[in-house]
Amino acid sequence: MGVMRIGLGGGCHWCTEAVFDGLRGVMRVEQGFIRASAPDDSWSEAIIVQYDPARISLEILIEIHLRTHASTSDHKLRGKYRSAVYAMDADQKPLIGRALKRLQAGFDAPLVTRVLDFNGFKASEVRFQQYHRKNAGGPFCRRYIDPKLDLLRRDYGGLVSGSTAAAG
């Protein structure tokens, strides 16, 4: 099947990048902004994950995404932080939809996360990429990123590799 790609958006892309950067089976995480088709064609913070589906499934990636951002909150910043899984092609869209439907059972409130068509990406400035690696221990990381990494290690420890596994 080879390397697959998926777009994920929901919260700060610095946080989202840090969560997915340390997973086994994830080869690359690109941090930046994604837009979908109209009416969701404004740029929204997100990442693109390149992964090996033989090592980590699309559904697990989506589950981790839902658990590490406010996927049931339709808050006022949803324009900047659109809760979405971006399908890279027409074949992915129904797979994502079915995964969200199955995963809904694990949440007390309805998911606001939507399935959207990927329609463009622009990378963050280099100074913001790999934010957690460059700023570990800083106030933003301690307050927002580290709790997500703690959840990842606690609930998905077998999927965590490298420095993310050892931290905490």
Side-chain angles (χ1 to χ4, degrees), residues 100-157:
L100 286 172
K101 211 173 240 185
R102 281 191 300 272
L103 292 166
Q104 175 62 67
F107 291 83
D108 293 333
L111 294 168
V112 299
T113 307
R114 298 183 298 146
V115 183
L116 298 174
D117 294 321
F118 175 84
N119 197 25
F121 176 79
K122 62 180 181 179
S124 298
E125 294 177 38
V126 172
R127 66 188 173 119
F128 296 124
Q129 294 175 22
Q130 298 296 315
Y131 187 87
H132 186 260
R133 289 184 187 187
K134 294 175 184 174
N135 299 282
F140 183 89
C141 293
R142 284 196 317 269
R143 180 169 184 174
Y144 296 106
I145 299 175
D146 292 347
K148 295 171 191 296
L149 297 179
D150 289 343
L151 179 145
L152 191 65
R153 287 188 292 271
R154 184 188 72 229
D155 295 349
Y156 301 94

Side-chain angles (χ1 to χ4, degrees), residues 19 32 44 52 72 78 90 96-97 106 120 125 160:
V19 166
S44 185
D52 177 353
T72 60
R78 278 293 171 219
I96 296 166
E125 294 177 38
V160 178

Side-chain angles (χ1 to χ4, degrees), residues 60-71:
I60 289 292
L61 291 170
I62 293 170
E63 180 179 348
I64 290 169
H65 178 55
L66 297 175
R67 297 281 175 205
T68 55
H69 82 281
S71 60

Side-chain angles (χ1 to χ4, degrees), residues 81-103:
Y81 304 122
R82 187 181 302 125
S83 184
V85 180
Y86 297 91
M88 296 295 179
D89 59 47
D91 293 336
Q92 269 189 339
K93 206 167 185 175
L95 299 173
I96 296 166
R98 286 191 296 271
L100 286 172
K101 211 173 240 185
R102 281 191 300 272
L103 292 166

Side-chain angles (χ1 to χ4, degrees), residues 4 6 31 43 45 113 125 150 163:
M4 302 291 293
I6 192 71
Q31 179 211 113
W43 294 104
E45 292 192 19
T113 307
E125 294 177 38
D150 289 343
S163 60

